Amino acid sequence: MAQIEEIKFRQTSKVGKDLREGEQFIRLTQSICPDCNKILPATIFEREEKVFMRKTCSEHGEIEELYFGSFEMYKRFSTFWLDGKGTLAANVPMEKCACPTNCGLCTNHLSHTGLSNIIVTNRCDLTCWYCFFYVKKGLEGAYVYEPTTSQITAMVKTLRAERPVPGNSLQITGGEPTLRDDLADIIKIIRAEGVDHIQLNTNGINLALDPDLATRLKEAGLSNLYLSYDGVTPKTNPKNHWEVPYTLESCRKANLGVVFVPTVIKSINDHELGDILRFAQENMDVVKAISYQPVSLTGRMSKKEREKYRITIPDCIDRIEEQTEGQVTRDDWFPVPSCSPVTHFIEAFTKKPQYDLSIHFACGAGTYVFEDTETKKLVPMMSFVDIPALFEYLEEKTDELNSGASKYLIAAKFLSHINSFVDKKKQPNGLSFAKLLTNAILKHDYSSVGQFHIRSLFLGMMHFQDKYNQDEERLQRCDIHYLTPDLRIIPFCSFNVIPEWYRDRIQQKYGLPIEEWEAKTGEKLEQALYRGTLRRANRHQPASCGPNEVRIEPITGT
Amino acid sequence: MQDFTPLQGLRRNKINGASLSASRGSFPYDESCTLNVKFGVDGGIRDSFRHEIWMDAHRRNDKYFRITYKMEIKKVTMGLAVKTLIKPAKAVKKASIYWTRNPEMVRLFEKKVWALIIDERRAPHIPATEEEARKKLFEFEASFQILGADVGRGNHTLRAQVGASWGRHIFSEKGTISGSSNSIKITCT
Ligand code: SF4
Ligand code: SF4
């Protein structure tokens, strides 16, 4: 046996040594300078039970940013850190990768595409004060970007060519995608390429105005809406407060599920997270999930301003616990990669690579809640399923399968054990979690998972990055990817965090100057603007979005 | 996970340094005494847990290692461990082999892989050295409290039976090893 060569790191690091009194080292990573995009070493550390990132640019000085609002939750989440299998069909070979300057995906990327995004237009029918994603007149170099259907087909083929796991989930995004007259055709094209799950990222206004649109899109193959919904009052949600009830009615008629997507900004709408949940619960027949998105701050912002608006996943989780009077507690949440024990068990059982949600533990979290039919209270899954014990059990069985155990023997053990993880007395009426999991895991029958959704809400959270808190360790594991006409697959947090390298460049390359687009289509850009019909009809406030205080990365694009 | 490639010339796996100790040699019947079990895993599996292998394991999508520790404390009569005092207990430690963006590592290696250790209390540790990683993963310690009523009045000889097991990986076949600690004498008055 060769002598073990000792490898040390960290102690020699200058970066790790810049800790100050009261700070505890966690790890080192790489980030970028918010001013010049230079790649910088960054220290992740704990102070007063919170997690921060600190980095120093030789030209632009030190930047310190809140990274994760609870050290205790950071530690718990980090135990689920498990790298994914990446993609074998990388578009950018390793030798050309200088992460994150040449995304594509490259050979170094650690997650295959979990959810892909195609921007079908950058036009919008609203002019929200905080969004500088939509195309507007008067700006130098403004382009209308609308890929053709043949470009879209090629992009989807690129997604389907991913190996070992072909991409199977796609979000149509914008601007406002419903401004495209051929949206139903686009959905059909994507379906025809074999994508099973298609969601539409929208402000919902056109679906409110045209009650049959939801039905037409559903018939074309749309799976659900990803509906921007920032709060329950016109103040917190000037975008579509008056229109959302009409949108929900259209979706109800079309039997089209809705995911609410609130962008959460501290001091603006963080007091309404519980109310958003209650509103979703009232509409549980059509609203199937909420995807809370702590704000991504962009543009040059002072530290004071950032502290005013910055909110992270644990902070949102705590607000939800407070605002639901403890119905959904902080312990009910798990990081996204906690799905791995289930995925890996199925992989070992079937010997086939499975869809793996292998993002970084600090990127996202989720939980399931069920409505108690009698009390109408929300019952989180954790309160009747011993999830940590179930995960342990699945990990153990995965090891046994990988070590050559008979899958029939393991299936028999699984069936005899599964009920021991469920407290049947606390389980909501009409739900058999054990049966559902057995069907999904052993029979690969996911139809009952749909039934699961009927009485439940999935609560998700994703904290998109910005230049202040950007962490290359998170980026390299990103599984939310953009498909672009140059047939690249670009991680969301490269595409939007460094738009000058990705988003803007691609849209300029494949878009048309506004005048040219207007001449070609015979339309005027402003023709599509929403005039507030539903608000006027109800004597509501005129359609406009509030004053400019904070610039927020238009993560939903609507 | 890809197929197992046997590593040549690995040392035989064994339990190392299994020891049992008591917080006190004699204790009153209505009080308690703490028993401490300590042991480690030594041999090829421990030697394989090193950076070079982590790199290969990561490349071949074998990124997660679990080791299960088992222990049981028995009363010894006539030199034989016969009666169970502490029922078999189980604890799991894990290692997640991950690609780090630690700038120190970026400078040192072409592919930047490190190990995160998750201990039996589900606490995460990023070790500073490979040796620290091996210590955190392959050394185990647990404490148990016993009451006078658990053992009864009189002199007792105790011994711990311990074991460890792990699954198959690209760098190792599955393994199960076991061993015994030293015997200790305690008196309950
Ligand atoms: S973020 Fe991923 S795709 Fe982009 S350069 Fe880094 S490893 Fe490659
Ligand atoms: S989109 Fe951003 S926040 Fe989400 S997984 Fe990717 S890197 Fe993480």
Side-chain angles (χ1 to χ4, degrees):
Chain A
M1 180 75 218
Q3 209 189 342
I4 297 164
E5 193 191 321
E6 186 57 12
I7 292 169
K8 275 192 190 184
F9 77 106
R10 192 175 87 192
Q11 274 80 351
T12 54
S13 169
K14 267 199 205 152
V15 196
K17 278 188 182 161
D18 73 356
L19 292 180
R20 303 177 188 155
E21 191 144 348
E23 296 176 349
Q24 182 188 340
F25 175 83
I26 300 176
R27 66 183 163 92
L28 295 180
T29 185
Q30 288 176 304
S31 183
I32 53 171
C33 169
D35 285 301
C36 65
N37 295 342
K38 187 173 160 191
I39 297 175
L40 303 173
T43 307
I44 308 287
F45 62 93
E46 178 268 344
R47 188 175 63 222
E48 292 169 355
E49 283 304 308
K50 293 181 198 297
V51 179
F52 295 85
M53 168 185 274
R54 188 184 291 130
K55 53 195 174 182
T56 306
C57 174
S58 51
E59 225 175 297
H60 300 101
E62 181 185 287
I63 305 104
E64 186 189 289
E65 195 65 19
L66 179 66
Y67 182 91
F68 211 68
S70 157
F71 182 44
E72 181 263 322
M73 198 180 292
Y74 176 96
K75 283 189 285 185
R76 179 165 76 87
F77 278 21
S78 73
T79 62
F80 292 96
W81 189 336
L82 186 49
D83 283 357
K85 46 189 166 283
T87 171
L88 300 176
N91 295 327
V92 180
M94 177 119 89
E95 53 287 2
K96 294 216 172 128
C97 166
C99 185
T101 60
N102 198 7
C103 291
L105 293 172
C106 83
T107 337
N108 289 358
H109 203 77
L110 292 167
S111 298
H112 65 77
T113 303
L115 173 67
S116 59
N117 288 255
I118 290 186
I119 298 170
V120 293
T121 181
N122 62 349
R123 290 186 295 135
C124 192
D125 51 356
L126 291 179
T127 53
C128 297
W129 52 271
Y130 53 74
C131 178
F132 47 94
F133 182 80
Y134 69 91
V135 56
K136 47 189 161 258
K137 279 187 175 165
L139 285 184
E140 207 187 313
Y143 289 80
V144 176
Y145 168 82
E146 290 192 349
T148 63
T149 47
S150 50
Q151 280 173 320
I152 291 172
T153 308
M155 290 188 233
V156 182
K157 281 189 193 299
T158 311
L159 172 74
R160 299 294 293 156
E162 268 190 52
R163 292 293 180 272
V165 186
N168 195 21
S169 184
L170 191 146
Q171 180 175 111
I172 298 172
T173 185
E176 174 48 46
T178 56
L179 293 188
R180 283 212 38 173
D181 295 334
D182 57 353
L183 184 57
D185 295 332
I186 292 173
I187 293 168
K188 285 182 194 156
I189 288 172
I190 298 168
R191 272 269 176 210
E193 291 301 326
V195 175
D196 286 336
H197 187 83
I198 306 172
Q199 61 184 33
L200 180 70
N201 187 356
T202 176
N203 58 34
I205 290 171
N206 282 330
L207 291 119
L209 290 170
D210 174 357
D212 295 328
L213 180 58
T215 307
R216 292 199 301 278
L217 298 180
K218 166 94 182 178
E219 281 168 4
L222 187 66
S223 312
N224 66 277
L225 288 198
Y226 204 62
L227 181 67
S228 171
Y229 184 69
D230 291 340
V232 296
T233 57
K235 195 168 173 220
T236 50
N237 183 21
K239 193 190 278 183
N240 58 7
H241 174 78
W242 305 110
E243 292 76 12
V244 161
Y246 299 96
T247 312
L248 293 183
E249 213 32 61
S250 299
C251 291
R252 198 167 269 127
K253 222 174 81 195
N255 193 22
L256 185 64
V258 174
V259 178
F260 278 163
V261 189
T263 299
V264 185
I265 310 169
K266 189 168 128 195
S267 73
I268 303 280
N269 66 347
D270 58 326
H271 58 289
E272 286 189 8
L273 307 191
D275 287 335
I276 292 171
L277 177 47
R278 272 183 283 277
F279 185 62
Q281 188 185 354
E282 282 163 23
N283 291 282
M284 242 176 179
D285 59 322
V286 61
V287 180
K288 305 296 175 195
I290 306 175
S291 175
Y292 293 98
Q293 302 187 342
V295 68
S296 161
L297 302 170
T298 190
R300 196 71 191 116
M301 258 190 175
S302 67
K303 194 166 179 214
K304 205 168 152 212
E305 269 183 302
R306 299 198 313 270
E307 279 168 359
K308 180 173 175 198
Y309 300 119
R310 171 71 74 203
I311 189 160
T312 67
I313 287 174
D315 310 316
C316 291
I317 288 176
D318 284 347
R319 303 281 199 284
I320 291 172
E321 177 168 336
E322 281 158 30
Q323 292 165 23
T324 60
E325 276 127 24
Q327 286 182 56
V328 187
T329 71
R330 57 175 11 225
D331 297 334
D332 294 320
W333 295 79
F334 282 82
V336 173
S338 65
C339 307
S340 291
V342 180
T343 314
H344 293 167
F345 179 75
I346 301 176
E347 223 158 44
F349 194 78
T350 58
K351 303 272 181 242
K352 284 195 194 121
Q354 300 290 316
Y355 228 74
D356 202 1
L357 300 181
S358 54
I359 62 172
H360 192 272
F361 65 86
C363 282
T367 186
Y368 264 104
V369 291
F370 298 81
E371 187 182 61
D372 184 293
T373 41
E374 276 165 33
T375 64
K376 300 291 172 214
K377 285 205 166 154
L378 293 172
V379 183
M381 190 194 280
M382 264 294 274
S383 63
F384 62 93
V385 183
D386 186 347
I387 295 187
L390 174 65
F391 286 167
E392 280 298 333
Y393 182 77
L394 290 176
E395 283 181 358
E396 186 184 294
K397 297 300 147 211
T398 303
D399 248 5
E400 289 177 21
L401 284 164
N402 285 336
S403 304
S406 147
K407 68 185 243 182
Y408 301 104
L409 186 70
I410 297 289
K413 282 189 190 170
F414 178 83
L415 287 172
S416 67
H417 257 79
I418 180 72
N419 278 314
S420 67
F421 303 111
V422 184
D423 183 340
K424 288 204 177 140
K425 279 191 218 116
K426 291 189 184 155
Q427 179 169 257
N429 277 339
L431 176 80
S432 170
F433 180 80
K435 191 170 162 204
L436 187 145
L437 198 68
T438 306
N439 285 347
I441 289 188
L442 299 182
K443 299 187 193 156
H444 320 298
D445 167 11
Y446 298 96
S447 57
S448 46
V449 177
Q451 175 209 356
F452 185 152
H453 279 253
I454 292 173
R455 288 175 298 273
S456 70
L457 275 176
F458 173 72
L459 307 182
M461 221 169 261
M462 176 157 287
H463 192 177
F464 295 104
Q465 305 189 64
D466 51 52
K467 289 189 180 184
Y468 298 101
N469 61 13
Q470 199 252 16
D471 177 356
E472 302 292 353
E473 273 182 5
R474 288 178 59 189
L475 185 61
Q476 203 179 354
R477 290 159 177 82
C478 181
D479 76 354
I480 316 270
H481 301 153
Y482 278 92
L483 306 175
T484 55
D486 54 0
L487 304 186
R488 293 223 214 180
I489 301 176
I490 301 173
F492 189 106
C493 284
S494 291
F495 193 83
N496 285 320
V497 173
I498 324 176
E500 55 277 31
W501 290 354
Y502 295 105
R503 188 180 73 206
D504 295 352
R505 209 191 253 185
I506 285 159
Q507 297 200 3
Q508 181 169 348
K509 186 168 172 196
Y510 294 96
L512 288 177
I514 296 175
E515 306 69 41
E516 220 178 289
W517 179 84
E518 289 188 333
K520 190 179 158 200
T521 58
E523 280 181 50
K524 289 280 171 211
L525 193 61
E526 53 279 8
Q527 243 170 265
L529 285 181
Y530 174 52
R531 307 286 169 191
T533 331
L534 292 171
R535 303 173 198 200
R536 274 206 302 274
N538 289 298
R539 295 174 193 278
H540 301 318
Q541 298 289 319
S544 76
C545 300
N548 193 349
E549 246 192 313
V550 53
R551 292 165 65 193
I552 301 149
E553 183 67 12
I555 47 180
T556 62
T558 57
Chain B
M1 197 184 85
Q2 296 182 16
D3 283 345
F4 166 62
T5 318
L7 295 175
Q8 298 304 312
L10 289 181
R11 292 191 294 141
R12 198 172 58 83
N13 294 311
K14 61 173 201 278
I15 295 288
N16 195 28
S19 79
L20 176 67
S21 58
S23 56
R24 47 190 177 163
S26 165
F27 67 104
Y29 185 81
D30 52 0
E31 289 185 16
S32 67
C33 169
T34 304
L35 301 177
N36 189 269
V37 184
K38 230 173 155 176
F39 62 103
V41 169
D42 203 5
I45 187 69
R46 187 177 182 132
D47 296 340
S48 306
F49 198 69
R50 60 183 205 268
H51 190 262
E52 191 193 334
I53 306 286
W54 300 343
M55 302 247 280
D56 193 35
H58 193 276
R59 189 176 54 75
R60 295 165 69 183
N61 200 28
D62 184 7
K63 298 166 179 158
Y64 200 53
F65 178 81
R66 295 173 91 247
I67 181 161
T68 304
Y69 291 99
K70 288 184 181 147
M71 68 234 84
E72 183 178 4
I73 301 176
K74 289 191 165 182
K75 277 201 210 175
V76 179
T77 313
M78 316 259 287
L80 294 173
V82 283
K83 193 163 174 247
T84 298
L85 177 62
I86 300 289
K87 284 202 203 117
K90 195 168 113 174
V92 178
K93 291 196 187 202
K94 301 167 192 178
S96 174
I97 297 165
Y98 71 100
W99 189 320
T100 174
R101 297 298 293 264
N102 178 325
E104 294 287 298
M105 298 287 285
V106 172
R107 276 200 289 277
L108 280 172
F109 306 105
E110 203 189 299
K111 194 165 180 183
K112 311 98 186 170
V113 169
W114 201 248
L116 167 79
I117 311 294
I118 298 139
D119 72 17
E120 66 280 16
R121 289 175 199 86
R122 287 199 71 81
H125 304 273
I126 299 183
T129 64
E130 288 177 280
E131 184 48 31
E132 191 184 324
R134 284 188 285 272
K135 273 208 173 103
K136 286 246 180 283
L137 189 62
F138 293 110
E139 275 164 38
F140 187 81
E141 190 169 351
S143 294
F144 304 90
Q145 263 205 343
I146 51 163
L147 301 170
D150 296 327
V151 277
R153 283 192 170 84
N155 297 324
H156 306 281
T157 305
L158 307 179
R159 189 187 299 155
Q161 289 185 338
V162 298
S165 58
W166 57 91
R168 186 184 208 214
H169 289 270
I170 58 139
F171 50 89
S172 152
E173 253 306 351
K174 66 176 179 178
T176 303
I177 50 174
S178 56
S180 290
S181 72
N182 55 309
S183 298
I184 57 164
K185 289 194 186 329
I186 56 166
T187 306
C188 179
T189 54

